[in-house]
């Protein structure tokens, strides 16, 4: 018999258990009561608005046959739909360790549901009085968590659009500066595009107005390029984005969407640990200068989508600061923290929480507030329902770049973000859900910090038990967060063989409700991950006869993955399950 006291969890952890429904819907009574209360106040709100207007649906209506029939039909359809959704991936279960989603937090869910009832459109204050204010407050909370003094931004449907918001603004700033500089007589597109606000503001309005024809994204890009070529004395090939090789695929989309062309994405190499290589970044900046290609932005990643790696954001910022001081180049630094932004909640005095991150990672996180802009997805590590992403800049000037008015919307001059957002109609739900988590979970070490630190500790433990118990397991090194990639390789195995084994292994985790666990997989390309790739394959002295390495991938996000109170130790069970699968593949000689 276990000691009764030992099975009780720490009081802080007990408090966190109120934040999620629980795998067996343990908190269902409270959730029902809260949702009922929300519905009731929503009903009351209607009833109290001009009650003298009277009722539209009478008792007689409600008794009519057609009314009853139509309602019955809706009931049936809804029930059927609900049972279809029961075939969905059981994301709430600790057995789901596949992609970067899990249970959503209850405060977020309540906020989301309440917003759906009111259905505000945050395109402007005219259509959403409360929603836009709550959005501001949520942005401020996110910005503060990430270390910005103030921060200005808005919610998006996700990280992809938030990254687009960054490219859109940085591209506008870059070409405005470039065009003005060239028009004023500077003969370097690169230097003009990095002149900074002070120099730009000193340029007279006359010059800025006539420079507009040199902006490839306002008029005709081909005519603009011809004129720029004349001014710089060489063929103008357009601006570039410097982005590390482990980038999310939304960056590739952005090059197409914004008409930059795929060639404009200049990759920055990774080091042997899979992080952005600062020396190569330096080389790429020099190359841009030599080839006279303006730099739209430099991107670093906080928490890669593949393996949760954290780039040396502090070193990138220091390098760019150095260029600003020494050369006068103002280069936009965007941090793609779609996945890892909430890791900033681990910062602070409590070593038990911050200590799960490496010193390098902590330094990277500390430097976030010095970047020009960031992307963060509350619908990932923020445990907020879809869709909830955000784009934030440190400086207002970088936020308010190019605007578009709409004749039918009353945009108030100072407040509305509407004329500046890529999206038009925007639900307030993602912002409100995030706001609720800021209030009720907290973006500090005592809230999200504790929760996320726990998932990182679990990833580390998992890494250890896999290494100890699964023969020939090769864990991809230097995962900085709660993602883990691995394959099974005997010494000397060829890469093709290992990849086939990993794919077969992945397939044994069937993608239906009957699997004992749910995992994901990813591919690491030799071309992109070069030194890291070699580093991983050399761990089993593998023969490189393929251009990619397939990795089984798990993401431990579920807050109940290791809970003493449950009947199952999911960590043990997963290891056993993996052992059996590997033995099965061994016996088939795969
Ligand atoms: C998930 C992710 C994105 C894209 O976010 P969506 O919300 O899926 O559009 C961008 N960058 C990184 C690093 C991500 O992890």
């Amino acid at each position: 018999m276990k000691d009764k006291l030992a099975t009780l969890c720490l009081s802080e952890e007990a408090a966190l258990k109120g934040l999620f429904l629980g795998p067996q819907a343990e908190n269902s009574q409270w959730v029902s009561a809260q949702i009922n209360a929300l519905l009731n106040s929503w009903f009351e709100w209607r009833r109290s608005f001009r009650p003298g207007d009277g009722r539209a649906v009478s008792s007689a209506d409600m008794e009519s046959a057609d009314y009853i029939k139509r309602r019955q039909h809706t009931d049936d359809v809804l029930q059927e739909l609900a049972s279809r959704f029961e075939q969905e991936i059981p994301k709430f279960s600790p057995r789901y360790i596949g992609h970067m989603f899990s249970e959503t937090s209850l405060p977020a869910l309540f906020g989301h549901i309440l917003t759906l009832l009111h259905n505000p459109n945050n395109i402007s204050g005219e259509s959403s009085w409360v929603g836009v204010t709550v959005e501001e407050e949520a942005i401020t909370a996110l910005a503060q968590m990430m270390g910005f003094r103030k921060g200005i931004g808005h919610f998006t449907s996700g990280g992809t659009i938030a990254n687009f918001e960054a490219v859109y603004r940085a591209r506008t700033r870059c070409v405005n500066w470039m065009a003005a500089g060239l028009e004023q007589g500077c003969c370097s597109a690169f230097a003009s595009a990095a002149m900074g606000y002070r120099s730009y503001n000193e340029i007279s309005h006359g010059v800025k107005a006539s420079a507009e024809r040199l902006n490839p994204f306002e008029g005709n890009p081909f005519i603009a390029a011809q004129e720029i070529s004349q001014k710089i004395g060489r063929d103008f090939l357009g601006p570039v984005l410097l982005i590390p090789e482990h980038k999310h695929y939304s960056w590739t989309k952005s090059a197409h969407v914004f008409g930059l062309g795929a060639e404009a994405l200049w990759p920055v190499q990774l080091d042997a640990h899979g992080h952005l290589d600062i020396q190569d970044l330096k080389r790429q900046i020099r190359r841009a200068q030599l080839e006279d290609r303006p730099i739209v932005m430099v991107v670093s990643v906080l928490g890669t989508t593949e393996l949760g790696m954290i780039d040396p954001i502090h070193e990138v910022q220091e390098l760019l600061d150095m260029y600003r001081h020494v050369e006068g180049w103002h280069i936009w630094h965007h941090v793609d923290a779609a996945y890892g932004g909430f890791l900033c909640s681990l910062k602070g005095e409590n070593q038990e929480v911050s200590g799960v991150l490496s010193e390098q990672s902590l330094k990277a996180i500390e430097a976030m507030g010095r970047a020009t802009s960031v992307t963060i997805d509350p619908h990932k590590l923020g445990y907020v329902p879809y869709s909830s992403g955000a784009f934030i800049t440190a400086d207002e000037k970088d936020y308010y770049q190019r605007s578009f008015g709409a004749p039918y919307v009353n945009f108030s001059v100072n407040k509305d973000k509407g004329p500046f957002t890529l999206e038009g109609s925007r639900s307030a739900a993602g912002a409100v859900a995030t706001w609720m988590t800021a209030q009720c979970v907290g973006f500090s070490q005592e809230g999200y910090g504790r929760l996320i630190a726990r998932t990182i500790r679990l990833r580390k433990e998992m890494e250890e038990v896999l290494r100890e118990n699964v023969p020939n397991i090769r864990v991809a090194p230097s995962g900085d967060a709660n993602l883990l990639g691995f394959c099974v390789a005997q010494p000397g195995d060829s890469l093709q063989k290992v990849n086939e084994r990993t794919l077969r292994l992945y397939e044994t985790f069937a993608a239906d409700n009957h699997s004992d666990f749910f995992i994901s997989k990813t591919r690491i390309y030799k071309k992109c991950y070069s030194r890291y790739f070699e580093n991983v394959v050399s761990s089993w002295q593998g023969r490189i006869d393929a251009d990619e390495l397939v990795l089984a991938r798990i993401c431990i996000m579920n807050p109940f993955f290791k809970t003493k109170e449950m009947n199952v130790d999911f960590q043990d069970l997963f290891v056993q399950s993996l052992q059996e699968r590997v033995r099965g593949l061994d016996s088939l000689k795969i």
Side-chain angles (χ1 to χ4, degrees):
M1 266 275 286
K2 279 193 215 165
D3 176 0
K4 193 118 206 259
L5 270 178
T7 63
L8 293 173
C9 61
L10 300 172
S11 62
E12 314 90 77
E13 299 203 339
L16 292 178
K17 284 184 169 188
L19 297 174
F20 295 90
L21 178 55
Q24 301 284 313
E26 291 88 329
N27 287 315
S28 62
Q29 275 195 351
W30 181 55
V31 174
S32 298
Q34 285 315 305
I35 291 177
N36 257 321
L38 290 182
L39 285 173
N40 284 329
S41 74
W42 186 50
F43 299 153
E44 274 315 305
W45 177 60
R46 290 186 172 222
R47 288 180 189 134
S48 61
F49 179 75
R50 302 199 177 264
D53 289 355
R55 289 162 65 94
V57 187
S58 68
S59 315
D61 290 336
M62 290 183 182
E63 279 157 23
S64 82
D66 283 345
Y67 173 98
I68 291 169
K69 211 168 108 194
R70 182 54 67 107
R71 241 176 51 172
Q72 188 57 51
H73 176 66
T74 305
D75 289 351
D76 295 345
V77 171
L78 190 60
Q79 280 312 308
E80 158 127 32
L81 184 65
S83 59
R84 271 176 78 177
F85 268 107
E86 275 150 34
Q87 308 302 311
E88 248 312 347
I89 303 154
K91 294 199 278 284
F92 57 84
S93 168
R95 290 170 184 270
Y96 186 87
I97 45 175
H99 288 284
M100 34 181 68
F101 46 63
S102 151
E103 188 70 310
T104 56
S105 84
L106 290 176
L109 190 66
F110 295 149
H112 193 90
I113 291 172
L114 177 61
T115 318
L116 295 182
L117 299 180
H118 287 273
N119 197 29
N121 182 348
N122 272 15
I123 191 171
S124 79
E126 187 194 16
S127 54
S128 172
W129 297 335
V130 179
V132 293
T133 320
V134 176
E135 179 175 7
E136 292 277 285
E137 292 169 15
I139 288 289
T140 303
L142 288 173
Q144 280 174 353
M145 169 177 70
M146 292 188 285
F148 289 102
R149 236 177 321 122
K150 188 161 170 289
I152 178 161
H154 63 271
F155 277 76
T156 61
S157 63
T160 300
I161 301 296
N163 284 341
F164 285 10
E165 293 281 7
V167 175
Y168 177 61
R169 285 170 171 76
R171 189 194 74 173
T172 306
R173 188 182 95 168
C174 169
V175 294
N176 280 343
W177 289 356
M178 177 190 73
L182 294 177
E183 185 70 356
Q184 211 198 15
C186 175
C187 55
S188 160
F190 173 91
S192 299
M195 69 166 67
Y197 284 108
R198 189 178 306 155
S199 306
Y200 183 65
N201 291 339
E202 282 166 6
I203 290 176
S204 79
H205 268 287
V207 172
K208 285 181 201 162
S210 65
E212 226 181 77
R213 67 182 204 292
L214 296 176
N215 183 336
F217 304 106
E218 288 291 345
N220 182 309
F222 306 99
I223 294 174
Q226 283 173 2
E227 275 209 49
I228 296 167
S229 300
Q230 278 173 6
K231 290 202 180 271
I232 65 175
R234 63 194 296 167
D235 285 342
F236 177 64
L237 299 179
V240 293
L241 278 79
L242 308 188
I243 310 193
E245 289 273 24
H246 54 200
K247 65 182 182 292
H248 185 262
Y249 73 113
S250 53
W251 292 103
T252 317
K253 280 188 205 171
S254 78
H256 288 269
V257 170
F258 291 101
L260 296 160
E263 183 272 342
L265 297 183
W266 282 14
V268 178
Q269 283 173 22
L270 306 178
D271 64 18
H273 305 286
H275 299 133
L276 177 149
D277 179 348
I278 203 83
Q279 293 310 323
D280 194 53
L281 175 60
K282 226 187 260 179
R283 278 194 291 275
Q284 300 304 330
I285 293 174
R286 280 286 165 210
R287 185 182 147 208
Q289 185 204 8
L290 288 174
E291 297 182 17
D292 208 4
R293 307 281 299 267
I295 295 176
V296 171
M297 56 165 49
V298 169
V299 176
S300 55
V301 185
L302 173 56
T304 61
T305 327
E306 248 119 35
L307 295 169
M309 283 151 176
I310 298 176
D311 281 336
I313 298 163
H314 51 299
E315 291 174 17
V316 172
Q317 192 57 52
E318 276 151 26
L319 181 69
L320 298 182
D321 288 348
M322 185 277 286
Y323 282 130
R324 197 175 63 240
H325 291 135
V326 177
E327 311 271 6
W329 300 338
H330 297 250
I331 300 174
W332 190 301
H333 180 197
H334 180 77
V335 182
D336 185 356
Y339 183 58
F342 277 85
L343 293 171
C344 293
S345 64
L346 276 80
K347 283 185 300 190
E349 298 293 307
N350 187 345
Q351 299 265 324
E352 236 177 85
V353 175
S354 59
V356 300
L357 292 174
S358 70
E359 229 163 88
Q360 269 301 91
S361 296
L362 280 171
K363 280 188 190 155
I365 283 170
E366 293 284 352
M368 284 280 280
R370 287 154 57 206
T372 318
S373 61
V374 294
T375 286
I376 179 170
D377 266 353
H379 67 208
K380 286 179 178 163
L381 274 185
Y383 297 84
V384 164
Y386 296 112
S387 304
S388 184
F391 166 73
I392 299 175
T393 63
D395 185 336
E396 268 197 11
K397 292 194 289 299
D398 292 323
Y399 183 84
Y400 293 113
Q401 289 285 333
R402 174 79 165 82
S403 68
F404 294 91
Y408 61 91
V409 185
N410 180 26
F411 289 124
S412 61
V413 182
N414 291 319
K415 206 139 179 272
D416 281 332
K417 306 275 164 46
F420 296 89
T421 59
L422 293 178
E423 290 170 274
S425 293
R426 289 184 305 122
S427 165
V432 176
T434 304
W435 184 91
M436 276 294 288
T437 64
Q439 303 293 316
C440 305
V441 185
F443 291 168
S444 66
Q445 284 195 317
E446 285 314 301
Y448 273 105
R450 192 174 285 280
L451 192 66
I452 295 171
R454 191 183 152 86
T455 68
I456 297 177
R457 228 176 277 124
L458 287 171
R459 189 271 299 164
K460 290 183 178 177
E461 271 180 36
M462 178 68 103
E463 191 170 331
E464 242 177 75
V465 293
L466 287 177
R467 282 209 169 102
E468 280 164 14
N469 295 293
V470 182
N472 292 318
I473 190 136
R474 313 291 168 180
V475 177
S478 63
D480 298 310
N482 47 11
L483 287 147
L484 184 70
F486 63 88
C487 60
V488 176
Q490 278 153 24
D493 267 355
S494 80
L495 198 48
Q496 278 187 19
K497 184 172 175 192
V498 174
N499 286 347
E500 195 195 326
R501 187 182 297 135
T502 308
L503 285 171
R504 291 290 283 269
L505 181 70
Y506 169 75
E507 283 161 11
T508 65
F509 290 92
D512 63 31
N513 269 334
H514 307 297
S515 189
D516 60 349
F517 282 95
F518 302 82
I519 70 165
S520 56
K521 65 165 163 47
T522 191
R523 285 162 207 273
I524 298 287
Y525 296 101
K526 188 167 95 189
K527 186 167 71 65
C528 302
Y529 278 80
S530 56
R531 277 170 287 171
Y532 179 77
F533 182 93
E534 284 159 19
N535 188 7
V536 181
V537 181
S538 71
S539 70
W540 72 87
Q541 298 89 44
R543 187 156 53 81
I544 300 184
D545 57 355
D547 296 332
E548 59 181 32
L549 164 66
V550 181
L551 292 172
R553 171 173 170 269
I554 63 174
C555 177
I556 304 182
M557 264 185 76
N558 192 291
F560 303 114
F561 186 74
K562 200 163 183 177
T563 307
K564 282 178 277 192
E565 283 74 9
M566 290 183 83
N567 298 334
V568 181
D569 182 328
F570 295 105
Q571 194 177 61
D572 279 359
L573 196 65
F574 180 71
V575 173
Q576 279 171 30
S577 171
L578 197 62
Q579 282 171 333
E580 274 162 34
R581 289 178 151 93
V582 172
R583 255 182 259 127
L585 293 176
D586 283 350
S587 68
L588 292 171
K589 302 232 172 332
I590 295 167

